[in-house]
Amino acid sequence: MNILGFLSAAILLTLMPGPDILFVITQSITRGKKAGIIFACGLCTGLIAHTAAVSLGLSLILYNSPVAFSVLKYMGAAYLIYLGVKSYIHRKENSLALPSATGVEYKLYRKGILMNILNPKVLLFFIAFFPQFVSPTT
């Protein structure tokens, strides 16, 4: 495995702002640094799930099965619609302060995991990107 090539490419791609990074920035600005870090940790945990799926070959099932990929795609879309509706319903609330209720950190962490796991673009990226750095003979 070309670990240096993979790490340098992964770092460069991580530094490019995408929807996940923009959401981390939004959480950091509106709820504070701690909320942004917790959400980013959730996103990284979701990446672990994608990495495991690729290394176990599960991602090839999604790649070769239009039905399975469509199910994942629609689950992701439904989750984003849910988040949008929830934000619209609670738009009058003060979103600048992190609520004092216990478990808020867990909710942010869980939201990060779900956003990443249900994002089919991340899975397609892993299918296309990760195998380039793995040697099948090792």
Side-chain angles (χ1 to χ4, degrees):
M1 180 172 188
N2 183 357
I3 193 75
L4 290 177
F6 176 76
L7 284 176
S8 59
I11 288 169
L12 287 173
L13 289 168
T14 301
L15 294 176
M16 293 170 145
D20 291 346
I21 300 299
L22 294 176
F23 203 81
V24 169
I25 292 169
T26 301
Q27 292 299 310
S28 298
I29 291 171
T30 59
R31 297 177 181 235
K33 182 171 95 172
K34 181 179 178 183
I37 291 171
I38 291 169
F39 189 79
C41 288
L43 290 172
C44 290
T45 303
L47 288 176
I48 292 170
H50 283 293
T51 304
V54 169
S55 60
L56 293 173
L58 297 175
S59 58
L60 289 177
I61 294 170
L62 292 172
Y63 181 73
N64 291 321
S65 171
V67 173
F69 181 72
S70 292
V71 167
L72 178 68
K73 184 170 60 170
Y74 291 125
M75 285 174 57
Y79 184 65
L80 290 176
I81 290 169
Y82 163 76
L83 289 176
V85 169
K86 188 176 172 184
S87 294
Y88 181 76
I89 290 171
H90 300 293
R91 68 187 181 278
K92 302 264 185 205
E93 294 177 11
N94 181 8
S95 64
L96 295 178
L98 190 60
S100 60
T102 59
V104 171
E105 291 87 1
Y106 173 73
K107 289 178 184 179
L108 285 172
Y109 182 73
R110 187 181 68 200
K111 187 184 287 190
I113 293 171
L114 282 174
M115 274 185 70
N116 210 318
I117 288 176
L118 295 176
N119 186 349
K121 289 190 294 185
V122 174
L123 185 62
L124 288 175
F125 169 76
F126 269 76
I127 290 170
F129 181 72
F130 194 66
Q132 296 176 38
F133 297 98
V134 177
S135 172
T137 59
T138 308

